[in-house]
């Protein structure tokens, strides 16, 4: 079986390493992959959003199965196009990927189907939003709607900050563009982007904004496999989004994480099974958008109980890096069951162990940083010994050496019999690799001590 994976970060590396374990797979391609993925798959220089080229490559190379991992190609319809071309494909179609693509859609879905989330209002006019803010309680959360705008979350402590936030999102359009608005409109109405362009309706359109209640509590990530009807939950994880120790500094894509989360108790699991997971799958089906693929539930464990912070339509990054090494099943069987609608027949199982990932970044991330530094010590990692080096931002230079090529460079990941052992293993392994301007957090997994496990 020939399989291709779209994407080129740490998450895709984790998916590829898991696929490599499958006896059914004879050849693996990554589009575009990266310097480390090249060890495990054939990297093809086709971008993650170049859907036409992906389809062409799949047909020409007689690909048996495709996996679309990142949010952008999912929201742009890569699964739809590959499926249309006769390539079986893992991931939600465009209609279902909107659960991540539009905050307004996902918030409205939760409201309509009584899925617990933060209270919110949506606005399409900056004046209305500002009027609402005058009588709001602080802190308050502002979210820009739209594709790739998921990062557009502002937590505002005062009215002044919130007014400035509305200006950034709706007037300066810092988080969006007319293009994104068109893609969302296309999602909502089924009209073509080309047709919408002719309308010129979006040239000066303001974004939609979600204004949301501020919640407190621990954040837990839960990944799940979904086949349109059935949902199976993977083991939980906990991310560290801020750049610096003690959860200080700017928000990043994730500086490290661990699985399982000791705070994801049976009580939380029972609650979410009843009020969150299956209700979400049923809601998508009822909306005529059956979801097949991975739903990532970003949960906040508030004093009032678990609440959904966000949905993603894909594996998390770096959640995949700590969850997949613990999965016992052959992943291709699970992928196929999701698309064929036979997930109820799969006995999804995880090892009774733990996994910790510490991200090695380029100093200066997430703002500005230098790239192109040679990485040494990579040969010390052996998957079969429970030490994984997932490459996020690396490439080959002209001399064929692997060099840094991004803010997040490597995900140093280790298994252990429990969280403390996995953490010690992961931090030991961070010393094996080196490159100029190497930066990491030193407190990944601090919550493990707080939970006293
Ligand atoms: P999101 O993209 O919606 O997950 O938001 C990114 C981050 O912002 C989350 O991981 C939370 O840390 C924070 N956040 C989002 N919504 C809220 C909320 N309603 N209350 C408190 N923090 C939030
Ligand atoms: N680690 C969070 C995400 O993948 O969105």
């Amino acid at each position: 079986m020939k399989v291709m994976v779209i994407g080129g970060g740490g998450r895709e590396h984790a998916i590829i390493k898991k696929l490599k374990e499958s006896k059914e797979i004879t050849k693996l391609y990554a589009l575009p992959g990266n310097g480390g993925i090249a060890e495990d798959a054939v990297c093809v220089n086709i971008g993650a959003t170049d859907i036409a080229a992906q389809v062409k490559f799949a047909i020409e190379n007689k690909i048996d199965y495709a996996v679309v991992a990142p949010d952008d190609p999912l929201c742009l319809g890569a699964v739809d196009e590959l499926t249309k071309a006769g390539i079986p494909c893992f991931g939600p179609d465009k209609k279902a990927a909107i659960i991540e693509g539009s905050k307004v859609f996902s918030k409205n879905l939760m409201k309509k189907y009584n899925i617990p989330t933060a209270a919110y209002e949506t606005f399409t006019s900056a004046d209305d939003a500002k009027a609402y803010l005058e009588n709001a309680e602080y802190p308050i959360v502002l979210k820009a709607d739209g594709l790739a705008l998921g990062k557009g979350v502002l937590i505002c402590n005062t009215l002044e900050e919130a007014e400035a936030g509305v200006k950034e999102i709706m007037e300066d359009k810092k988080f969006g563009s007319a293009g994104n608005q068109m893609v969302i409109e296309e999602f909502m109405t089924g009209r073509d982007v080309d047709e919408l362009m002719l309308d010129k309706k979006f040239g000066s359109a303001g974004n939609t904004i979600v204004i949301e209640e501020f919640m407190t509590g621990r954040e837990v990530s839960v990944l799940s496999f979904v086949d349109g009807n059935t949902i199976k939950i993977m083991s939980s994880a906990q991310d560290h989004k801020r750049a610096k120790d003690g959860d200080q500094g700017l928000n990043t894509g994730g500086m490290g994480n661990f699985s399982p989360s000791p705070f994801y108790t049976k009580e939380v699991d029972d609650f979410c099974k009843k009020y969150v997971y299956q209700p979400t799958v049923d809601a998508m089906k009822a909306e005529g958008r059956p979801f097949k693929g991975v739903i990532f539930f970003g949960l906040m464990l508030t004093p009032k109980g678990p609440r959904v912070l966000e949905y993603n339509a894909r594996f998390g990054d770096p959640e995949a890096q700590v969850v997949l090494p613990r999965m016992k099943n052959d992943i291709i069987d699970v992928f196929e069951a999701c698309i064929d609608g036979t997930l109820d027949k799969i006995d999804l199982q995880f090892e009774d162990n733990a996994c910790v990932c510490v991200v090695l970044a380029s100093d200066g991330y997430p703002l500005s940083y230098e790239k192109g530094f040679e990485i040494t010590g990579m040969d010390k990692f052996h998957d079969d010994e429970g030490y994984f080096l997932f490459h996020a931002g690396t490439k080959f230079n002209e001399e064929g050496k692997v060099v840094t090529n991004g803010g997040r460079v490597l995900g140093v990941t280790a298994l252990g019999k429990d969280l403390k052992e996995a953490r010690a293993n992961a931090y030991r392994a961070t010393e094996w690799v080196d490159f100029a301007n190497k930066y990491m957090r030193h407190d990944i997994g601090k919550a493990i001590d707080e939970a006293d496990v």
Side-chain angles (χ1 to χ4, degrees):
M1 188 175 191
K2 285 164 124 186
V3 177
M4 74 182 209
V5 176
I6 293 169
R11 164 184 51 209
E12 288 74 23
H13 201 181
I15 294 170
I16 283 168
K17 277 196 188 289
K18 193 74 199 161
L19 283 165
K20 232 179 115 178
E21 289 174 10
S22 173
K23 289 181 187 64
E24 291 173 53
I25 296 173
T26 49
K27 186 113 195 182
L28 266 170
Y29 295 94
L31 284 60
N34 65 33
I37 291 176
E39 288 274 308
D40 297 302
V42 177
C43 293
V44 182
N45 194 15
I46 292 176
T49 53
D50 191 350
I51 297 171
Q54 291 159 7
V55 171
K56 187 162 173 280
F57 176 84
I59 294 170
E60 283 174 6
N61 291 278
K62 300 197 168 55
I63 296 295
D64 299 300
Y65 209 82
V67 179
V68 184
D71 40 347
D72 292 0
L74 286 169
C75 289
L76 291 167
V79 169
D80 309 55
E81 295 306 317
L82 285 159
T83 308
K84 236 187 272 168
I87 313 291
C89 191
F90 180 76
D93 63 10
K94 188 170 160 177
K95 266 176 101 174
I98 193 176
I99 199 169
E100 169 164 10
S102 168
K103 296 259 188 222
V104 173
F105 173 85
S106 62
K107 292 296 295 188
N108 288 345
L109 186 85
M110 288 186 264
K111 186 186 264 180
K112 184 168 169 189
Y113 293 92
N114 290 320
I115 297 164
T117 187
Y120 74 101
E121 297 286 339
T122 60
F123 298 92
T124 48
S125 131
D127 288 341
D128 291 350
K130 286 179 184 168
Y132 174 83
L133 287 169
E134 280 175 23
N135 296 311
E137 277 183 41
Y138 290 85
I140 202 156
V141 183
L142 309 186
K143 297 186 175 184
D145 186 41
L147 240 200
L149 307 184
K151 284 99 206 164
V153 174
L154 301 174
I155 294 173
C156 305
N157 290 306
T158 62
L159 174 62
E160 290 67 37
E161 272 179 45
E163 282 174 342
V166 170
K167 183 170 176 299
E168 269 183 32
I169 293 172
M170 302 188 82
E171 291 165 5
D172 306 343
K173 299 198 176 68
K174 196 172 148 193
F175 299 101
S177 65
N180 280 321
Q181 287 298 306
M182 272 185 274
V183 176
I184 297 301
E185 176 84 2
E186 193 192 14
F187 270 134
M188 300 296 219
T189 62
R191 291 179 66 201
D192 230 45
V193 165
D194 291 343
E195 195 188 314
L196 292 166
M197 289 235 285
L198 289 175
D199 270 4
K200 296 204 173 53
K201 186 174 147 196
F202 292 90
S204 58
N207 288 318
T208 307
I209 193 171
V210 177
I211 302 187
E212 189 172 285
E213 165 201 10
F214 176 77
M215 303 186 294
T216 53
R218 282 187 197 274
E219 284 183 44
V220 178
S221 310
V222 176
L223 303 177
S224 66
F225 289 109
V226 183
D227 75 353
N229 290 302
T230 301
I231 177 163
K232 298 247 162 143
I233 301 303
M234 295 180 233
S235 188
S236 59
Q238 235 176 289
D239 201 2
H240 296 63
K241 287 200 171 133
R242 299 296 192 108
K244 297 192 176 150
D245 284 8
D247 288 325
Q248 301 296 309
L250 294 168
N251 241 339
T252 72
M255 293 300 292
N257 62 355
F258 56 88
S259 171
S261 162
F263 302 98
Y264 190 81
T265 57
K266 177 153 190 324
E267 195 187 356
V268 172
D269 188 54
D270 287 345
F271 180 93
C272 292
K273 283 198 170 118
K274 191 162 172 200
Y275 297 107
V276 177
Y277 304 145
Q278 193 65 48
T280 300
V281 175
D282 294 344
M284 289 300 280
K285 194 175 161 194
E287 292 295 305
R289 299 170 184 274
F291 192 103
K292 296 180 170 195
V294 169
I295 300 184
F296 168 136
F297 298 86
L299 302 175
M300 190 173 260
L301 309 181
T302 77
K304 290 189 218 152
R307 299 282 182 271
V308 178
L309 272 174
E310 64 163 344
Y311 292 121
N312 293 316
R314 51 171 175 82
F315 284 102
D317 190 344
E319 280 79 359
Q321 289 89 313
V322 289
V323 171
L324 292 182
R326 302 185 50 229
M327 191 171 123
K328 287 188 189 174
N329 305 65
D330 183 330
I331 198 168
I332 197 78
D333 294 343
V334 186
F335 283 170
E336 287 182 320
C338 287
I339 303 309
D340 300 345
T342 54
L343 191 59
D344 58 333
K345 309 256 170 10
I346 296 278
D347 180 17
L348 192 65
Q349 288 197 9
F350 287 80
E351 303 283 353
D352 184 20
N353 60 3
C355 193
V356 172
C357 169
V358 179
V359 169
L360 301 185
S362 305
D363 197 11
Y365 173 73
L367 293 175
S368 63
Y369 47 84
E370 291 177 75
K371 303 192 274 195
F373 299 115
E374 188 180 340
I375 304 169
T376 56
M378 295 181 295
D379 54 344
K380 297 198 180 65
F381 289 79
H382 299 289
D383 299 354
D384 54 0
E385 292 171 5
Y387 290 90
F388 306 87
L389 189 61
F390 297 120
H391 288 236
T394 68
K395 68 166 191 180
F396 290 107
N397 68 6
E398 297 79 49
E399 296 154 37
K401 292 195 166 129
V402 177
V403 296
T404 64
N405 191 41
R408 288 192 293 173
V409 179
L410 297 164
V412 171
T413 306
L415 291 168
K417 67 176 187 313
D418 55 25
L419 285 162
K420 284 183 179 165
E421 187 182 282
R423 178 176 59 183
N425 290 346
Y427 270 107
R428 181 154 12 89
T430 61
E431 290 166 20
W432 300 344
V433 259
D434 206 12
F435 53 86
N437 294 358
K438 172 176 147 184
Y439 172 83
M440 65 180 161
R441 273 182 63 163
H442 291 88
D443 63 348
I444 299 300
K446 188 165 163 282
I448 296 167
D449 305 317
E450 290 157 14
D452 202 27
V453 285

